[in-house]
Amino acid sequence: MKKTLIATSIASAVSLSALTLPSVAAAEVSANVGVVSNYFFRGVTQTDDSAAVQGGLDYAHESGFYAGTWASNVDFGADAANYELDLYAGYGGSVGDLSYDVGYVYYAYPDSPDDIDFGEIYGSLTYSYLTAGLAYTANGQADAGPFIQGDLYYYAGVDVPFGDSGFSGSLYYGYYTFDDDGEPGYGDMDYGHWTASVAKDAGDFGSFNMSFEMADVGEDNFVSTNDDLQVWVGWSKSF
């Protein structure tokens, strides 16, 4: 299936830290690498239920400005894209106890024979353990179907540390509305999904997680028809 979700896989897969711009001395560059048994973007596998190797490079400044890139292998079928390359930039900060994050991310599939790249404007608010956000598809190469201008993705989640154990738990729900939902040739596309995860910070050995995914889709949904509970594990490390 076509794309993908930062990290988000924005999630996806995209880990965004708030830092800043003006002086180079106050800037920070970091890298990350990871392996997952199944790469999901917003409840839909991007690797045909196979493993993925992923990694990225981030620039952050203490002002709140950040930019970066992230890549992963994907499997959209024979003669389709084999890898995804994301480019993003944004700004994060806080007002009192409320943190905010706004930015733009471009999802590219350089080796795809079809025009499937798209870009999103996103924003989120975080208070304590709670986060809620919205992503709007601002541009897309495809003329119709999913991942074109006008698509909206809503999400909310909670991420709670378990004391000083290094363990944490999270619960996340997202809902996708597509501009061409119900159009001839595409039919049902809108769907919701949830993710529940347990993660362990292992210090110098990186972080480990186990996640449970489920998408609320029908048997004729154009984006995905897999409504089974999916389980995947992953490891990541930042440098």
Side-chain angles (χ1 to χ4, degrees), residues 11-91:
S12 230
V14 180
S15 176
L16 306 174
S17 53
L19 285 147
T20 45
L21 190 190
S23 95
V24 174
E28 178 179 305
V29 176
S30 62
N32 62 84
V33 63
V35 180
V36 293
S37 62
N38 196 348
Y39 169 28
F40 281 90
F41 177 78
R42 298 173 182 170
V44 178
T45 180
Q46 304 302 293
T47 49
D48 193 24
D49 294 324
S50 296
V53 178
Q54 306 168 331
L57 189 66
D58 293 285
Y59 167 90
H61 192 280
E62 64 184 10
S63 65
F65 172 82
Y66 62 82
T69 183
W70 182 87
S72 175
N73 60 287
V74 298
D75 183 356
F76 296 156
D79 300 320
N82 292 304
Y83 76 99
E84 170 189 340
L85 177 64
D86 301 344
L87 304 170
Y88 52 87
Y91 185 87

Side-chain angles (χ1 to χ4, degrees), residues 125-175:
L125 294 173
T126 299
Y127 178 79
S128 185
Y129 303 134
L130 305 174
T131 297
L134 173 69
Y136 170 76
T137 305
N139 56 283
Q141 288 187 331
D143 295 325
F147 315 109
I148 62 170
Q149 183 176 352
D151 295 347
L152 284 167
Y153 179 70
Y154 309 84
Y155 62 93
V158 57
D159 191 349
V160 181
F162 299 151
D164 298 325
S165 65
F167 283 94
S168 63
S170 64
L171 184 63
Y172 175 100
Y173 181 78
Y175 193 82

Side-chain angles (χ1 to χ4, degrees), residues 185-201:
Y186 298 102
D188 293 334
M189 290 195 292
D190 294 357
Y191 72 94
H193 74 98
W194 65 264
T195 305
S197 300
V198 176
K200 168 63 175 176
D201 182 355

